[in-house]
């Protein structure tokens, strides 16, 4: 059984090296309940932080988006950033280009729009990065704090099953003797 599990894991890792499968996998990850929040938050923080540093250093927005898009670990989001980069190079605002992808949090979109309107895009992107990092960290803390009680319930169920496996034959024996 262990050998089969190892083969399955190796097969999955090998399959994820194929670009089409990786793209499909990353897209599905963005729709799973808890995984999506962590993945979107982490990638948004990375993108925002990198783009903030690049734009504050004087790199043009389109070039900065291209570079910052390569930092992302999710291939589907990389594709969406490439599409947004094309939109921005054609004259669309960063806010509308990111909103068209449908994968970025509303708080990021509002802060980017505010940064574009005020002329302080790099500072707003930095704030977005901090906000997203805090959001992901808070979610991870909540999940880790729920892990303890969940393990308690699972272990309680396992102990209950063992106790019942021992006591049921004794109870059945008592009923046979009573007849």
């Amino acid at each position: 059984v262990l050998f089969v599990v190892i083969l399955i894991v190796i097969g999955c890792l090998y399959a994820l090296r194929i670009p089409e499968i990786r793209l499909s996998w990353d897209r599905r990850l963005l729709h799973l309940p808890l995984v999506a929040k962590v993945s979107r938050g982490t990638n948004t923080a990375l993108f925002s932080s990198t783009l903030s540093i690049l734009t504050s250093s004087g790199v043009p927005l389109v070039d900065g988006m291209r570079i910052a898009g390569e930092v992302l670990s999710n291939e589907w989001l990389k594709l969406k950033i490439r599409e947004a980069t094309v939109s921005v190079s054609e004259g669309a605002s960063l806010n509308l280009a990111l909103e068209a992808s449908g994968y970025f949090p509303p708080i990021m979109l509002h802060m980017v729009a505010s940064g574009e309107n005020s002329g302080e895009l790099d500072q707003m992107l930095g704030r977005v990065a901090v906000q997203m990092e805090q959001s992901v960290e808070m979610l991870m803390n909540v999940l880790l704090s729920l892990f303890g009680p969940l393990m308690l319930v699972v272990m309680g169920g396992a102990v209950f099953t063992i106790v019942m496996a021992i006591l049921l034959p004794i109870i059945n024996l008592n009923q046979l003797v009573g007849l």
Side-chain angles (χ1 to χ4, degrees):
V1 172
L2 182 63
F3 182 70
V4 171
V5 169
I6 291 172
L7 282 178
I8 290 172
V9 169
I10 290 172
C12 289
L13 291 175
Y14 179 74
L16 287 176
R17 290 184 182 164
I18 299 169
E20 294 82 18
I21 294 175
R22 177 64 187 249
L23 187 66
S24 175
W25 172 257
D26 283 346
R27 182 177 183 194
R28 288 197 175 125
L29 279 180
L30 293 174
H31 296 286
L32 296 176
L34 290 175
V35 177
K37 280 191 164 201
V38 172
S39 180
R40 285 182 188 185
T42 304
N43 283 296
T44 299
L46 283 171
F47 176 74
S48 300
S49 175
T50 306
L51 189 58
S52 171
I53 292 168
L54 290 170
T55 55
S56 65
S57 299
V59 176
L61 182 61
V62 174
D63 294 335
M65 286 180 69
R66 254 187 227 115
I67 295 167
E70 295 303 316
V71 173
L72 303 179
S73 60
N74 189 298
E75 293 296 323
W76 183 254
L77 284 179
K78 278 185 187 180
L79 178 67
K80 292 300 178 182
I81 290 294
R82 285 187 208 114
E83 292 172 2
T85 303
V86 170
S87 294
V88 169
S89 68
E90 292 173 351
S93 70
L94 177 61
N95 173 42
L96 294 177
L98 293 176
E99 188 176 7
S101 73
Y103 286 97
F104 291 97
I107 185 78
M108 177 191 180
L109 299 174
H110 292 298
M111 290 179 81
V112 166
S114 174
E116 284 180 324
N117 292 335
S118 67
E120 297 178 353
L121 182 61
D122 55 343
Q123 293 175 359
M124 283 305 212
L125 285 169
R127 290 181 187 165
V128 166
V130 169
Q131 177 69 30
M132 290 294 111
E133 287 171 359
Q134 289 175 349
S135 174
V136 169
E137 185 177 328
M138 191 169 57
L139 177 64
M140 293 304 291
N141 287 339
V142 167
L143 291 176
L144 288 175
S145 68
L146 290 176
F147 186 70
L150 180 66
M151 285 304 296
L152 185 65
V153 169
V154 169
M155 292 305 293
V159 168
F160 178 75
T161 303
I162 292 170
V163 168
M164 290 309 291
I166 293 170
L167 289 180
L168 280 178
I170 294 172
I171 292 171
N172 287 337
L173 197 78
N174 282 340
Q175 288 177 351
L176 288 175
V177 170
L179 292 176

